[in-house]
């Protein structure tokens, strides 16, 4: 039976914006961002398996001279790994994906295409400068670049270009939305764009912290304009940014799970309203939690550590909401595929479709990683785990697992659209996804167990005078996962190259993008000014006391990673 | 906004669980006395020689209680050991040691294997925590924050005598 919808439905203007064939301009812009991101991922991740080898006692005995490709210095390779994966891959990919959904959902071009290319150029120059700085051995400071270690100025200039470029992206997206809003008063913006806007609001607030750190502390120190710096203040400013950063990565994955996966599995999202609430909670509560990265810092008061822990539990709520919402959506899909008994729907899923399988595999890793996250956020347990290899174990299941696999799933439909050719091989894609899943599970377990045994992270164990013998087994299983993940990376590379250069088939599937928001969800959810206000108030309450505590510490000169004497 | 009944129960369950977590946390702090490093003082990293860190090392405070002053620097822990000697101290079984630690140059870490001791060491900040060593054995102090090219060598040893 047909039920009249309460609001007149707008007809998608499919002629102006064809579904399958992307406009050439759109393809180049989205393609440039997505492919630059994938290149950064491949380059950065290639170091990962070799890091696991260098950390394995077995490998040390069998191949004592093993080096990481391109690098002989462990920490230089680890800097490439962290910076390329965590900062450049994510940012480029997110921008490309955000441009895609904004244009497609709102059925209009970006507010200003020239600006979009200007911001791309800035970010790309940033990438080149950072690669130069690390590659030439002058920036082996890891992706957190804590003072008072100092890198070459090009490293910081590159990061500034990345961040400022991404601010311009945010402005472009906001203006596109504002133009749409003017023409569509009273309509609900599609969920994907709702979340993308929320994400860039959070990003701009959060990057403020790191921008202050780089522009006013590190860059002047590295140029010699300042003689000293304050490491505690540096860490405070960095982690003001560092936690929202992880949600900046996660939200695009949630966008895919909430708005695309339902269509990809032939189901319907269980609740659009609660999805919006979840996104808003993520964005609002991601800021007053960053001190949970500073539990072991002597310059931060215990009271603030406690307050940030409680907010950390609050920011877990939207992920639980997501688990329910997506779970219910998948149950519906499973029942349609013939699941009968209570939990049957869990395995009646479309595990043979790479785009779906990548996201489901990501979710499996996210469940494991999410629980390990709640454990380490409990400040008293954190004492046992902070800076041990438990921590990389955790975020390779969330960031390198759930987020990266979902992005790879997106790449498996968006790269074909960009190229206007079908994915080169579904089989290779499936093999890539399942090796990644298995690899990351073994990796996460091995690193987690080694961390509990007391193995530090960010440490070149192959050159260490002592490695806890209890951890040898787990360091070796991590190295096995390194082999599996190396295979997975090669499969990913082969499929991307195949799709770009050798695929002959035409694309058959379009992008699953909504062009209208559901009439039922409350309009007050789109009062952005209110949300920005709340974020700023929370940020002030949660961070001003921490900043005040750190103020007035004695100054410390800068050091390079190689010489134990202060820079002149 | 419409919220499904089952979903509402789920929200209650999640809120309840996180409430229990918060309670467990408070209990660990107030009942079991777990502590975190928190501000205890500052020191000029360029002038350590004119402070309590001028002569790092173990000091007995009587009654099997000790303070151990440590200066972390690229890339060793200075526990007051003689030049060229390993960074190693002996303490008797059951000793309660207050670690008073700072960094002379960059950010370091202070982690004791098999012991809940985990502090960041920042130039300018003093870190202080207590630990009791009930079981005889060898405990490694490990620098667990990257501090430059010799980071992996930054290890010291506490030997608890039987
Ligand atoms: C493909 C397989 C991968 C392997 C085998 C791998 C392995 C590793 C290992 C062993 C470490 C710890 C090194 C140490 O602490 O000494 C590490 C650190 C890290 N990885 Fe991965 N990784 C992989 C992919 C990724 C991906 C896809 C991402 C993100 C998108 C990522 C992000 C990071 C980050 C941010 C760090 C921390 C770097 C630091 O501590 O400075 N990794 N990885
Ligand atoms: Cu150190
Ligand atoms: Cu170190």
């Amino acid at each position: 039976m047909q039920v009249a919808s309460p609001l007149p439905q707008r007809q998608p203007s499919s002629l102006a914006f064809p579904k399958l064939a992307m406009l050439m301009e759109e393809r180049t812009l989205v393609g440039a961002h997505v492919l630059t991101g994938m290149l950064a991922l491949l380059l950065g991740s290639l170091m990962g398996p070799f890091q696991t080898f260098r950390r394995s006692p077995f490998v040390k005995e069998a191949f004592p001279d093993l080096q990481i490709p391109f690098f002989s210095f462990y920490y230089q390779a680890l800097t490439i790994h962290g910076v390329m994966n965590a900062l450049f891959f994510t940012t480029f990919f997110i921008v490309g994906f955000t441009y895609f959904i904004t244009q497609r959902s709102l059925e209009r071009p970006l507010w200003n295409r020239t600006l979009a290319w200007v911001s791309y150029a800035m970010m790309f120059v940033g990438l080149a400068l950072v690669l130069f700085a690390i590659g030439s051995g002058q920036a082996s400071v890891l992706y957190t670049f804590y003072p008072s270690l100092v890198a070459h100025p090009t490293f910081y200039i590159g990061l500034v270009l990345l961040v400022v470029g991404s601010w311009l992206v945010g402005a472009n997206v906001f203006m596109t939305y504002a133009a749409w809003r003017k023409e569509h008063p009273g309509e609900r913006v599609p969920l994907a764009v709702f979340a993308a806007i929320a994400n860039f609001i959070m990003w701009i607030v959060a990057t403020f912290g790191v921008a202050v750190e780089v522009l006013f502390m590190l860059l002047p120190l590295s140029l010699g304009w300042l003689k000293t710096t304050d490491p505690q203040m540096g860490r405070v400013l960095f982690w003001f940014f560092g936690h929202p950063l992880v949600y900046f990565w996660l939200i695009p994955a949630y966008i895919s799970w909430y708005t695309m996966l339902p269509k990809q599995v032939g189901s319907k999202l269980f609740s659009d309203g609660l999805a919006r609430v979840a996104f808003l909670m993520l964005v609002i509560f991601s800021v007053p939690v960053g001190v949970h990265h500073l539990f072991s810092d002597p310059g931060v008061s215990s009271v603030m550590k406690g307050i940030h822990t409680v907010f950390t539990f609050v920011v877990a709520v939207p992920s639980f909401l997501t688990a329910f919402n997506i779970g219910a959506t998948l149950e519906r899909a499973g029942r349609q595929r013939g699941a009968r008994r209570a939990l049957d729907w869990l395995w009646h899923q479309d595990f043979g479709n790479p785009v779906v399988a990548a996201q489901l595999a990501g979710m499996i890793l996210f469940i494991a990683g999410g629980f390990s996250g709640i454990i380490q956020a409990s400040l008293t347990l954190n004492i046992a785990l902070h800076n041990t290899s438990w921590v990389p174990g955790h975020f390779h299941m969330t960031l390198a697992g759930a987020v990266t696999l979902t992005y790879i799933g997106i790449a498996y439909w968006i790269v074909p659209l960009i190229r206007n050719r079908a994915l080169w091989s579904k089989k290779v894609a499936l093999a890539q996804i399942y090796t990644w899943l298995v690899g990351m599970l073994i990796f996460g377990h091995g690193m987690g167990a080694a961390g509990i045994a007391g193995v530090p992270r960010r440490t070149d164990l192959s050159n260490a005078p002592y490695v806890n013998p209890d951890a040898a087994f787990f360091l070796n299983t991590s190295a096995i996962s390194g082999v599996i993940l190396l295979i997975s990376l090669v499969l990913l590379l082969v499929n991307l190259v195949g799709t770009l250069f050798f695929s002959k088939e035409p694309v058959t599937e379009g992008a699953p993008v909504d062009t209208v928001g559901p009439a039922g969800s409350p309009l007050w959810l789109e009062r952005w000014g209110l949300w920005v206000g709340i974020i700023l108030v929370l940020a002030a309450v949660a961070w001003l006391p921490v900043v005040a505590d750190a103020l007035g510490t004695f100054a410390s000169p800068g050091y390079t990673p190689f010489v134990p004497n202060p820079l002149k | 906004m419409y919220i499904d009944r089952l979903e509402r129960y789920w929200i209650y369950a999640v809120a309840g669980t996180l409430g229990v977590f918060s309670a467990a946390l408070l209990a660990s702090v107030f009942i079991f006395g777990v502590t975190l490093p928190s501000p205890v003082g500052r020191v000029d990293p360029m002038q350590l020689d004119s402070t309590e860190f001028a002569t790092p090392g173990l000091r007995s405070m009587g009654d099997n209680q000790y303070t151990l002053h440590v200066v972390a620097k690229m890339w060793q822990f200075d526990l007051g050991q003689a030049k060229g000697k390993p960074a190693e101290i002996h303490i008797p079984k059951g000793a309660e040691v207050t670690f008073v630690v700072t960094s002379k140059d960059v950010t370091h870490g202070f982690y004791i294997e098999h012991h809940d001791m985990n502090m960041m060491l920042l130039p300018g900040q003093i870190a202080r925590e207590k630990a009791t060593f009930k079981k005889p054995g060898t405990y490694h102090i490990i620098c667990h924050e990257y501090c430059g090219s010799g980071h992996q060598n930054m290890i010291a040893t506490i030997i608890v005598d039987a």
Side-chain angles (χ1 to χ4, degrees):
Chain A
M1 193 180 71
Q2 281 282 334
V3 183
S5 57
L7 271 185
Q9 289 282 319
R10 188 161 49 85
Q11 284 302 310
S13 45
S14 49
L15 275 183
F17 225 69
K19 273 277 172 285
L20 266 179
M22 290 162 84
L23 301 179
M24 199 57 203
E25 299 171 307
E26 191 194 2
R27 272 164 53 185
T28 47
L29 184 66
V30 172
H33 286 88
V34 165
L35 294 176
T36 311
M38 293 315 274
L39 265 177
L41 171 70
L42 288 166
L43 174 63
S45 292
L46 179 62
M47 310 302 143
F50 293 88
Q51 286 157 203
T52 66
F53 303 157
R54 287 282 293 257
R55 293 170 59 86
S56 151
F58 169 77
V59 175
K60 183 177 175 177
E61 213 149 88
F63 310 95
D65 302 321
L66 183 82
Q67 295 295 344
I68 302 181
F70 316 128
F71 301 103
S72 56
F73 185 42
Y74 182 86
Y75 303 104
Q76 188 184 11
L78 186 56
T79 308
I80 284 281
H81 184 78
V83 169
M84 284 303 123
N85 282 332
L87 303 178
F88 283 93
F89 153 57
T90 48
T91 308
F92 272 101
F93 194 92
I94 291 168
V95 172
F97 183 56
T98 302
Y99 281 159
F100 182 87
I101 52 185
T102 308
Q103 303 186 74
R104 281 302 168 118
S105 297
L106 303 183
E107 295 180 287
R108 60 189 309 128
L110 278 181
W111 175 65
N112 188 328
R113 262 188 221 281
T114 315
L115 180 66
W117 281 111
V118 169
S119 57
Y120 174 80
M122 288 175 74
M123 295 180 359
F124 192 84
V125 173
L127 174 69
L129 289 178
V130 166
L131 273 180
F132 161 77
I134 308 173
S136 64
Q138 303 175 82
S140 300
V141 293
L142 304 190
Y143 83 109
T144 44
F145 46 88
Y146 294 139
S148 35
L149 285 177
V150 181
H152 193 263
T154 48
F155 179 76
Y156 304 112
I157 296 171
L159 293 178
V160 168
L161 285 173
L162 176 73
V163 166
V164 176
S166 72
W167 288 349
L168 299 180
V169 172
N172 216 339
V173 171
F174 299 154
M175 294 306 286
T176 311
Y177 164 76
W180 173 90
R181 175 49 79 213
K182 230 194 222 136
E183 289 170 18
H184 303 275
E187 270 183 45
R188 277 74 176 160
V189 73
L191 179 57
V193 181
F194 180 89
I197 292 169
N199 202 20
F200 269 90
I201 288 177
M202 175 186 72
W203 175 249
I204 289 170
V205 173
T207 42
F208 182 72
V210 75
V212 169
E213 184 197 7
V214 170
L215 284 175
F216 295 103
M217 295 174 64
L218 292 170
L219 183 55
L221 181 68
S222 148
L223 288 167
W225 300 348
L226 282 178
K227 293 293 168 219
T228 58
T229 192
D230 175 352
Q232 182 69 74
M233 185 63 85
R235 283 171 63 83
V236 166
L237 291 170
F238 185 86
W239 287 110
F240 177 88
F241 152 79
H243 202 77
L245 172 66
V246 313
Y247 288 106
F248 181 64
W249 304 328
L250 184 59
I251 284 175
Y254 277 7
I255 291 178
S256 181
W257 298 358
Y258 271 120
T259 72
M260 301 181 167
L261 185 64
K263 290 190 206 63
Q264 289 157 343
V265 298
S267 174
K268 203 171 130 341
L269 180 62
F270 187 76
S271 162
D272 178 278
L274 274 185
R276 286 172 201 241
V277 171
F279 280 119
L280 283 177
M281 282 187 77
L282 277 178
V283 163
I284 290 171
F285 293 110
S286 67
V287 176
V289 298
V291 165
H292 70 214
H293 296 268
L294 304 175
F295 283 155
S296 297
D297 280 43
V300 181
S301 81
S302 295
V303 176
M304 296 316 294
K305 289 174 182 169
I307 292 174
H308 281 241
T309 305
V310 173
F311 277 119
T312 301
F313 288 144
V314 175
V315 81
V317 171
S319 288
F320 282 107
L321 291 179
T322 303
F324 186 93
N325 214 336
I326 303 299
T329 307
L330 288 175
E331 173 171 3
R332 200 178 280 174
R335 300 253 175 261
Q336 277 167 17
R337 295 173 67 89
R340 292 274 169 277
R341 269 166 302 145
L343 291 178
D344 262 7
W345 57 271
L346 284 173
W347 37 94
H348 279 81
Q349 297 292 342
D350 198 358
F351 292 111
N353 172 354
V355 171
V356 174
Q359 299 180 74
L360 296 177
M363 288 174 197
I364 293 171
L365 287 165
F366 198 59
I367 292 169
F371 277 107
S372 68
I374 296 182
I375 290 173
Q376 74 199 6
S378 311
L379 73 174
T380 44
L381 288 169
N382 187 271
I383 294 181
L385 301 174
H386 171 74
N387 263 3
T388 68
S389 70
W390 167 284
V391 178
H394 156 73
F395 65 67
H396 281 76
M397 291 197 278
T398 49
L399 166 62
V403 169
T404 304
L405 264 182
T406 301
Y407 290 10
I408 290 175
I410 293 168
Y412 284 154
W413 59 258
I414 210 169
V415 174
L417 283 183
I418 291 162
R419 185 66 183 87
N420 220 355
R421 287 276 180 276
L423 184 66
W424 182 68
S425 164
K426 277 196 172 189
K427 284 213 182 80
V428 172
L430 287 170
Q432 184 275 320
I433 290 160
Y434 291 114
T435 43
W436 194 278
L437 170 65
V438 172
M440 281 301 168
L441 282 173
I442 299 174
F443 180 81
H445 173 262
M447 295 286 279
I452 291 172
V455 173
R457 69 183 282 203
R458 311 182 129 178
T459 302
D460 181 6
L461 296 180
S462 68
N463 284 320
Y466 162 81
V467 178
N468 182 337
D470 302 346
F473 175 77
F474 301 112
L475 293 168
N476 291 336
T477 58
S478 301
I480 294 175
S481 74
V483 176
I484 301 174
L485 288 162
L486 187 57
I487 295 171
S488 190
L489 279 171
V490 171
L491 295 176
L492 176 63
L493 175 67
V494 166
N495 217 354
L496 288 179
V497 171
T499 306
L500 288 173
F501 302 110
F502 302 106
S503 171
K504 299 274 182 298
E505 308 289 309
V507 224
T508 48
E509 281 158 69
V513 181
D514 283 314
T515 52
V516 273
S521 93
L523 254 189
W524 53 262
L525 289 172
E526 277 174 67
R527 293 180 56 182
W528 299 109
L530 178 66
W531 308 133
V532 173
I534 293 178
I535 295 175
L536 292 179
V537 169
L538 273 177
V541 171
W543 284 96
L544 285 181
V546 183
V547 171
D549 260 355
L551 277 177
T553 311
F554 290 97
S556 160
Y559 293 80
T560 72
F562 304 101
V563 190
N565 300 320
L567 285 173
K568 283 289 153 332
Chain B
M1 181 176 23
Y2 170 74
I3 300 181
D4 183 79
R5 188 168 49 90
L6 268 180
E7 195 160 22
R8 215 167 37 231
Y9 293 158
W10 171 257
I11 296 173
Y12 296 150
V14 167
T17 314
L18 294 174
V20 171
F21 267 72
S22 304
L25 205 80
L26 292 177
S28 71
V29 172
F30 289 108
I31 302 176
F32 301 107
V34 178
T35 58
L36 288 175
S38 51
V40 292
R42 290 177 180 171
V43 62
D44 185 343
M46 298 306 279
Q47 309 288 335
L48 289 185
D49 284 343
S50 55
T51 68
E52 55 180 323
F53 292 101
T55 49
L58 194 67
R59 290 185 188 81
S60 170
M61 312 301 275
D63 204 16
N64 215 3
Q65 292 189 330
Y66 296 87
T67 46
L68 178 62
H69 281 81
V70 183
V71 175
K73 52 189 174 191
M74 297 158 102
W75 295 276
Q76 54 172 305
F77 289 107
D78 185 351
L79 319 174
Q81 70 272 26
K83 228 184 153 90
K85 288 269 160 13
E88 198 176 281
I89 53 153
H90 284 264
I91 53 172
K93 189 177 125 183
E96 185 191 86
V97 183
T98 304
F99 295 90
V100 187
V101 196
T102 194
S103 162
K104 188 173 166 302
D105 38 47
V106 298
T107 307
H108 297 278
F110 193 90
Y111 176 79
I112 303 185
E113 221 179 56
H114 308 307
H115 236 282
D116 288 346
M117 170 69 65
N118 195 326
M119 305 190 287
M120 298 302 296
L121 308 177
L122 304 164
Q125 302 276 351
I126 300 176
R128 183 201 314 254
E129 277 287 308
K130 243 185 233 169
T132 309
F133 294 84
K134 298 203 180 93
K135 271 201 257 158
T138 304
Y139 297 83
H140 292 95
I141 303 176
I142 297 173
C143 174
H144 67 11
E145 183 55 81
Y146 171 65
C147 53
S149 57
H151 160 61
Q152 67 284 342
N153 299 324
M154 216 172 138
I155 287 176
T157 315
I158 301 175
I159 297 163
V160 181
D161 297 318

